Amino acid sequence: MNVWEWAGDLYRQIRWMDVLIAFGIMAVFFIVNRLLVTYVFSMINKKFKAEENALMWRQAFEKPLRLFLMLLGVYWGLKYLLPGGWSTAIMLDRWFRSAVIILTGWGLLVLSNQSSFLLEEISKKIRLDDSSMLIPFLSKVLRFVVFVLIITLVASEWGFSMSGVIAGMGLGSLAIALAAKDTLGNIIGGIVIILEKPFSKGDWILTPSVEGFVEDITFRSTKIRTFADAFVTVPNATLSGQPITNWSRMGKRRIQFTLNVALDSDRERLDAATTRMERMLREDERIDPATIMVKFTEFQESSLGIMFYFFTKTTVWAEYLAIREDINLTVLEVLEEEGVRLAYPSQRVFLEELGAESGPAREFQSISTAGH
């Protein structure tokens, strides 16, 4: 039977009154879609305006529900119109069930993309902070699972056996396992990072390979924005096996250095300068008062060493540098007022005249001005 004969046979079997009824059924569902659904969702918006979870469900399933009602009208109209044999021939039921599966999966994908209320409730129970990457990571896992379920259910609806496909893949399972080893390692590394929480989204971290701010974590990698505004992707397996310094979790930031002053500095003036500099740090509200040390600690070949050891209350890099600059300028001011000079590289050379009538050795001081 060719196409024209098939169409002619169908034309003779269709009753035109049934066609009108079928279009009437479709029209009813289109009207329901336009009026009832709009009214229902408007009522939901008014009643649950302050509840974020209800709005998330509404945004996720409004379009799929509208399409479902239109699809249901077309399905029932065709079921009424077509004879049983024709309905079976064009596999109308399979098309309808497949469409319902896809629409349901579409709504679930949108819902999981917005972090469903279930994941939010879990985060509250385990007391996760807002910067935790666990919820976005689980949301990605949930979307992947929903996507796989959609494909599986639609394939099974059309007679494809997923068990047979999986069994067939057993022949190349070893090759696939070897090829997927790195990917699996990255997924496990991502799970380890999220569970151990060495950093959160937005933290400033330092590793042997990169330094910057964490922007996101995916199945395979972690996204880091460097200070040069470059976007670096680090595999999770690599990152989880490296030492990670999280600068954002410092409660305070250390300043430690040794100030070298002239070797011939007056003892009393040196003691007065040291006392004044320590008092200056203790009176500064930007300095943590718990640990402040300014002590004369070292004798060196050409200088005396004064150790500074204290912490700033801020960990912000720009603020830290500003505080350090102010302190350095104040230290210079104290040294100038107390008459204590900074040390500079120098060496002493003794020359001895040879001969029977040589006089005493003469001393010369050579001053190195390199860098000055």
Side-chain angles (χ1 to χ4, degrees):
M1 180 182 295
N2 58 34
V3 176
W4 296 109
E5 293 176 350
W6 180 84
D9 190 18
L10 177 62
Y11 178 81
R12 287 188 295 271
Q13 293 187 37
I14 292 178
R15 292 172 298 179
W16 292 106
M17 182 58 68
D18 293 342
V19 173
L20 294 177
I21 295 175
F23 275 103
I25 295 173
M26 297 179 190
V28 168
F29 277 92
F30 276 96
I31 294 173
V32 170
N33 175 43
R34 295 293 297 176
L35 299 179
L36 181 61
V37 175
T38 302
Y39 172 76
V40 169
F41 282 112
S42 298
M43 185 179 64
I44 291 175
N45 288 339
K46 293 179 181 178
K47 187 173 182 179
F48 301 100
K49 188 175 182 179
E51 296 187 15
E52 184 178 356
N53 295 336
L55 294 179
M56 288 174 57
W57 279 94
R58 179 251 183 193
Q59 293 173 359
F61 285 98
E62 181 177 5
K63 289 183 179 179
L65 182 58
R66 289 182 180 275
L67 290 176
F68 170 74
L69 289 175
M70 296 172 61
L71 177 67
L72 187 61
V74 173
Y75 170 72
W76 279 356
L78 290 177
K79 286 285 285 186
Y80 181 85
L81 178 63
L82 296 176
W86 291 103
S87 177
T88 304
I90 63 175
M91 295 178 289
L92 186 61
D93 292 340
R94 284 187 175 182
W95 283 108
F96 177 72
R97 289 195 295 267
S98 298
V100 171
I101 293 171
I102 293 173
L103 290 175
T104 304
W106 178 17
L108 291 175
L109 284 174
V110 175
L111 186 64
S112 62
N113 190 42
Q114 297 175 346
S115 296
S116 67
F117 74 95
L118 178 60
L119 296 180
E120 296 293 341
E121 291 297 328
I122 292 175
S123 68
K124 292 177 182 178
K125 289 182 179 179
I126 60 180
R127 297 179 181 179
L128 291 179
D129 54 16
D130 295 335
S131 62
S132 174
M133 293 176 292
L134 180 60
I135 298 304
F137 187 83
L138 290 179
S139 180
K140 292 182 176 69
V141 173
L142 183 59
R143 289 201 301 274
F144 177 76
V145 171
V146 171
F147 186 75
V148 171
L149 284 176
I150 293 173
I151 295 177
T152 303
L153 292 175
V154 172
S156 62
E157 189 64 41
W158 289 90
F160 293 97
S161 176
M162 297 306 294
S163 60
V165 174
I166 295 173
M169 291 175 60
L171 297 175
S173 59
L174 179 60
I176 294 174
L178 292 175
K181 180 181 66 174
D182 293 340
T183 301
L184 182 60
N186 288 326
I187 293 175
I188 295 176
I191 295 173
V192 170
I193 290 172
I194 289 176
L195 293 179
E196 291 189 353
K197 295 181 64 177
F199 53 81
S200 299
K201 187 175 181 180
D203 282 358
W204 167 22
I205 66 170
L206 169 65
T207 72
S209 57
V210 68
E211 180 178 12
F213 294 95
V214 179
E215 288 201 352
D216 193 15
I217 181 170
T218 63
F219 285 110
R220 196 190 75 83
S221 60
T222 297
K223 316 295 183 181
I224 298 175
R225 180 76 64 179
T226 67
F227 295 118
D229 203 32
F231 195 66
V232 181
T233 301
V234 184
N236 290 331
T238 301
L239 193 61
S240 62
Q242 292 180 337
I244 301 173
T245 302
N246 192 330
W247 295 115
S248 296
R249 295 187 181 176
M250 292 188 301
K252 50 190 178 181
R253 193 174 183 90
R254 186 182 66 182
I255 297 179
Q256 180 181 10
F257 62 93
T258 298
L259 181 67
N260 294 319
V261 299
L263 188 61
D264 58 354
S265 298
D266 181 77
R267 182 182 64 81
E268 293 182 357
R269 292 188 174 185
L270 180 62
D271 182 60
T274 302
T275 302
R276 282 187 59 186
M277 289 185 289
E278 182 173 356
R279 183 171 64 250
M280 173 267 298
L281 291 176
R282 295 192 180 279
E283 293 174 353
D284 194 328
E285 295 181 353
R286 301 169 299 176
I287 305 302
D288 182 57
T291 306
I292 298 177
M293 297 182 183
V294 182
K295 303 297 180 183
F296 168 38
T297 57
E298 297 182 14
F299 286 97
Q300 300 178 9
E301 293 182 356
S302 59
S303 63
L304 303 175
I306 302 175
M307 183 197 73
F308 286 77
Y309 188 91
F310 56 95
F311 294 83
T312 62
K313 293 181 179 180
T314 181
T315 60
V316 179
W317 180 245
E319 296 177 2
Y320 165 82
L321 291 179
I323 293 173
R324 187 158 188 168
E325 180 184 38
D326 291 344
I327 290 173
N328 288 342
L329 293 173
T330 306
V331 168
L332 287 177
E333 181 182 353
V334 171
L335 293 178
E336 291 174 0
E337 292 176 356
E338 294 296 335
V340 178
R341 296 179 293 108
L342 292 175
Y344 42 80
S346 65
Q347 60 182 1
R348 290 183 177 182
V349 180
F350 293 88
L351 298 179
E352 183 176 355
E353 296 182 0
L354 299 177
E357 297 181 355
S358 61
R362 290 178 295 175
E363 177 184 345
F364 296 88
Q365 186 176 34
S366 174
I367 301 173
S368 173
T369 59
H372 294 276

